[in-house]
């Protein structure tokens, strides 16, 4: 039976009968020619999915009042987030799909999860001001991730412009974990927590530069003493995870403004 004249040819390539369509991504080969890739890379996206799950689990745990678990899940998400990008680069499996999926997962794990954790622990006692502060953090994380995506391939890889969302999440989650571990009620220091959460949100959208540590060569040879330093760092962190992790992320968050002020002071003296 022949097709009617003028009807478009609806072959298998034109329309899929599956409820979930195949992902097709356009790119360029080594010679600059346009090529089309079907499907997605499994390995890096498995880490990204685990990152997304850790963020979701943190939110559920915070709502249920399991603050320790919620805070720890944020730090687990950080480890997974650091792995997916490195795995993609080491195995040459980077893709536009993976980059977008990673950003959406980061929004859940480092945007929503820390804000809800801080709100459930301390900010809820401040009423409308509390949820407004939490929203400032969420909006800062969303804007930070959107700006980062537009600067890929253009900005200096040695630096982040603005505080990275995982580091901001480390400050917020570390604060909740460390202080609640001491038995301190968040409502008693709600104002301090609000300043910290809002400050982390504003640093994410600032123009303050932070070292990205992406120039570290993890594949090259290093002196033997380097592995001893790594062992020492692990020992210090696991000796008291809540306090040590909080101090590390607070120091990193403060390093940007301190460096900015030092550069401003030097320029003022020269001028």
């Amino acid at each position: 039976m022949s097709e009617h004249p003028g009807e478009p040819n609806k072959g298998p390539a034109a329309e899929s009968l599956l409820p979930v369509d195949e992902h097709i991504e356009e790119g360029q080969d080594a010679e600059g020619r346009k090529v089309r890739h079907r499907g997605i890379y499994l390995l890096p996206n498995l880490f990204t999915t685990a990152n997304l799950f850790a963020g979701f689990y943190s939110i559920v745990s915070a709502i249920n009042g399991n603050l320790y678990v919620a805070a720890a899940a944020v730090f687990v998400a950080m480890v997974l987030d650091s792995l997916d990008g490195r795995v993609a680069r080491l195995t040459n499996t980077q893709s536009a799909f993976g980059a977008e999926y990673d950003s959406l997962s980061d929004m859940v794990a480092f945007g929503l999860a820390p804000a809800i954790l801080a709100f459930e622990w301390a900010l809820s006692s401040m009423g409308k001001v509390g949820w407004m502060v939490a929203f400032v953090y969420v909006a800062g994380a969303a804007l930070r991730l959107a700006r980062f995506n537009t600067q890929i391939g253009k900005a200096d890889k040695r630096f982040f412009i603005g505080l990275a969302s995982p580091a901001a999440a480390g400050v917020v989650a570390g604060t909740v974990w460390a202080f609640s571990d001491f038995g301190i009620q968040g409502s008693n220091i709600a104002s301090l927590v609000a300043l910290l959460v809002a400050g982390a949100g504003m640093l994410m959208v600032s123009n303050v530069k932070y070292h990205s540590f992406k120039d570290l060569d993890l594949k090259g040879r290093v002196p033997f003493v380097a592995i001893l330093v790594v062992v020492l760092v692990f020992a210090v962190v696991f000796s008291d995870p809540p306090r040590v992790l909080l101090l590390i992320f607070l120091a990193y968050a403060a390093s940007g403004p301190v460096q900015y002020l030092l550069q401003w002071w030097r320029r003022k003296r020269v001028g």
Side-chain angles (χ1 to χ4, degrees), residues 37-251:
H37 301 285
R38 185 182 297 271
I40 61 175
Y41 294 111
L42 180 61
L43 186 58
N45 288 309
L46 281 178
F47 284 98
T48 305
T49 302
N51 173 24
L52 176 62
F53 177 78
F56 174 75
Y57 189 75
S58 174
I59 293 173
V60 173
S61 298
I63 293 174
N64 290 332
N66 299 323
L67 300 179
Y68 297 154
V69 176
V74 172
F75 287 102
V76 171
M78 290 182 200
V79 176
L80 295 168
D81 180 62
S82 66
L83 289 175
D84 63 0
R86 294 190 181 278
V87 167
R89 287 189 291 271
L90 289 174
T91 58
N92 196 26
T93 53
Q94 304 100 316
S95 65
F97 175 89
E100 296 299 326
Y101 187 30
D102 181 65
S103 292
L104 293 172
S105 299
D106 288 353
M107 183 60 206
V108 174
F110 309 130
L112 288 174
I116 293 175
L117 176 60
F119 181 81
E120 291 291 331
W121 181 60
L123 300 179
S124 59
S125 63
M126 302 180 70
K128 293 182 178 180
V129 174
W131 64 257
M132 288 175 62
V133 170
F135 177 73
V136 167
Y137 178 90
V138 172
L143 293 170
R144 168 73 179 83
L145 290 167
R147 184 174 66 175
F148 177 79
N149 287 345
T150 62
Q151 293 175 341
I152 293 178
K154 301 176 183 177
D156 189 346
K157 291 184 178 181
R158 297 175 301 168
F159 299 97
F160 291 129
I161 305 300
L163 182 63
S165 57
V171 171
V172 176
T175 299
V176 177
W177 194 3
F179 281 85
S180 61
D181 191 52
F182 275 130
I184 299 175
Q185 296 293 327
S187 57
N188 295 333
I189 55 172
S191 298
L192 177 62
V193 175
L195 290 174
L196 193 69
V197 172
M202 297 304 295
L203 281 175
M204 282 190 283
V205 296
S206 70
N207 289 326
V208 177
K209 287 186 176 182
Y210 287 87
H211 286 282
S212 66
F213 303 108
K214 289 185 178 181
D215 53 347
L216 293 177
D217 184 11
L218 300 179
K219 296 184 292 184
R221 292 181 177 271
V222 296
F224 179 75
V225 69
I227 193 64
L228 298 179
V229 174
V230 172
V231 171
L232 179 61
V233 170
F234 272 103
V236 171
V237 170
F238 282 98
S239 65
D240 191 358
R243 260 71 66 180
V244 174
L245 288 174
L246 175 60
L247 289 176
I248 290 174
F249 283 102
L250 280 176

